[in-house]
DNA sequence: TGCAATTAGTTTCATATGAAACTAATTTCC
DNA sequence: GGAAATTAGTTTCATATGAAACTAATTGCA
């Protein structure tokens, strides 16, 4: 049955065309990020009954108390729906308070309650410790290198996400 | 109102305790991976009506034709439920054929149909091109460095996922 | 042989996600 | 001032996810 194997034969993909998933950067990044997020979440999810979006909201508010839900979404690279729900849950558990922005009453002004801060202040050291363990074997030079590579890749990926800006004019 | 700010005051987290999310490795990896996955998926999702899990199943089968669903899950680091559904959808669209493993009739033997191979062979170059664009500005040395850093981080994260093997006994 | 334990894969169920529609407040512009 | 357009945030809805229960086949072992 095996005739002369021609390139035209639409056979099983041969090793020269087959893509090695385990070497493919998007796949590797995805696996790595999931592993890291998952193992970090283990540290706080059960102990504090906190989801990843909730932790991110707290993390942003720890640095920028009083900002609005929209600003949280922007700073945490989260969807506004996800933020809305995480905030609702955090408020329900007494970890956040929702004020109103005095200048623009559509906007919320989110702040942690004392209870929220207590949770936050217990998680931050755990998060730092996790990161430290992850990087324990990396030299300062390697950390700098990692830092720069991630930053550049993120910039590239952001550029590639937008379908190439039109060369002429015609904004749509 | 500002009394002597003591460390005991449970005030807004100050800059020394506050965690900078934008510098926090797990967060940065997650943002990067989502950006990359998202922008790559744009390339094939609409054009071929293919989800990320489906693409991964095809990618694995491109290299290992005839393996079972479980082996696909393992090689693609996917959940078996996700694989099961992706396979079902691929079969429904005529892109995959499900045979039975002769030695163990519980196992499937998955292969692309001619149509599946056609899709696969159109996506692979697009995927490679995307990766090439992402890495366009990186020197060979930088690529090697990136490669090794990802590999080491993945190894570390995998180790940290398992809660430290107990030293004594007394499991809880 | 034949029954218990294991394994491959699917289905169910409870929850997570995000696009689109919606509500409420604000700004623009006449 | 006030109607139209804009913006912040929520709700709805359709889909995605994965743990646990389930089904079907196989293997182990008496």
């Amino acid at each position: 049955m095996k005739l002369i194997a021609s390139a035209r034969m639409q056979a099983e993909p041969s090793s020269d065309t087959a893509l090695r998933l385990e070497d493919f950067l998007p796949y590797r990044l995805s696996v790595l990020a999931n592993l890291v997020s998952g193992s970090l979440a283990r540290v706080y999810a059960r102990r504090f009954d906190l989801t990843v979006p909730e932790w991110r909201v707290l993390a942003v508010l720890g640095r920028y108390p009083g900002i609005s839900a929209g600003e949280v979404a922007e700073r945490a690279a989260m969807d506004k729906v996800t933020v809305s729900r995480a905030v609702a849950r955090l408020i329900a558990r007494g970890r956040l308070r929702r004020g109103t922005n005095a200048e623009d009453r559509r906007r919320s002004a989110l702040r942690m309650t004392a209870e929220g801060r207590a949770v936050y202040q217990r998680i931050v050291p755990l998060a730092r410790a996790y990161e430290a363990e992850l990087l324990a074997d990396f030299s300062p030079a390697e950390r700098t290198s990692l830092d720069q590579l991630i930053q550049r890749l993120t910039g590239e990926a952001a550029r590639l996400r937008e379908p190439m800006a039109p060369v002429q004019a015609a904004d749509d």
Side-chain angles (χ1 to χ4, degrees), chain A:
Chain A
M1 209 50 208
K2 184 178 173 190
L3 306 181
I4 297 142
S6 109
R8 239 159 253 52
M9 269 192 77
Q10 187 75 278
E12 305 286 7
S14 46
S15 52
D16 52 322
T17 58
L19 183 130
R20 297 164 54 93
L21 202 52
E22 70 271 32
D23 294 344
F24 186 53
L25 186 57
Y27 168 76
R28 295 175 73 199
L29 287 173
S30 170
V31 169
L32 171 58
N34 286 344
L35 261 176
V36 167
S37 282
S39 54
L40 173 60
R42 284 187 96 138
V43 173
Y44 59 73
R46 183 168 305 192
R47 209 179 317 191
F48 301 104
D49 185 29
L50 209 67
T51 65
V52 173
E54 287 171 75
W55 150 244
R56 285 198 182 165
V57 169
L58 290 188
V60 171
L61 288 175
R63 280 220 333 129
Y64 305 98
I67 67 177
S68 70
E71 286 170 302
V72 170
E74 199 171 331
R75 295 215 172 261
M78 288 167 70
D79 187 88
K80 67 176 178 167
V81 177
T82 312
V83 170
S84 172
R85 288 197 266 241
V87 165
R89 194 151 174 271
L90 287 166
I91 290 173
R93 318 227 155 182
R95 289 166 169 179
L96 236 56
R97 222 162 8 93
R98 190 203 316 264
T100 303
N101 183 308
E103 280 129 40
D104 185 342
R105 286 183 26 243
R106 287 172 306 186
R107 283 191 197 178
S108 54
L110 302 169
R111 287 172 193 287
M112 289 188 237
T113 59
E115 199 181 325
R117 278 192 293 275
V119 170
Y120 175 81
Q121 274 162 0
R122 287 180 64 199
I123 296 181
V124 167
L126 296 175
R128 286 197 210 281
Y130 177 82
E131 186 185 37
E133 278 200 80
L134 204 55
L135 291 171
D137 288 348
F138 290 65
S139 70
E142 286 169 339
R143 292 174 196 218
T144 304
S145 171
L146 176 64
D147 189 84
Q148 288 172 351
L149 291 169
I150 290 176
Q151 193 169 334
R152 286 170 62 197
L153 280 174
T154 304
E156 277 306 306
R159 260 196 333 93
L160 291 177
R161 193 177 35 137
E162 302 310 328
M164 217 75 59
V167 177
Q168 270 287 331
D171 57 54
D172 49 44

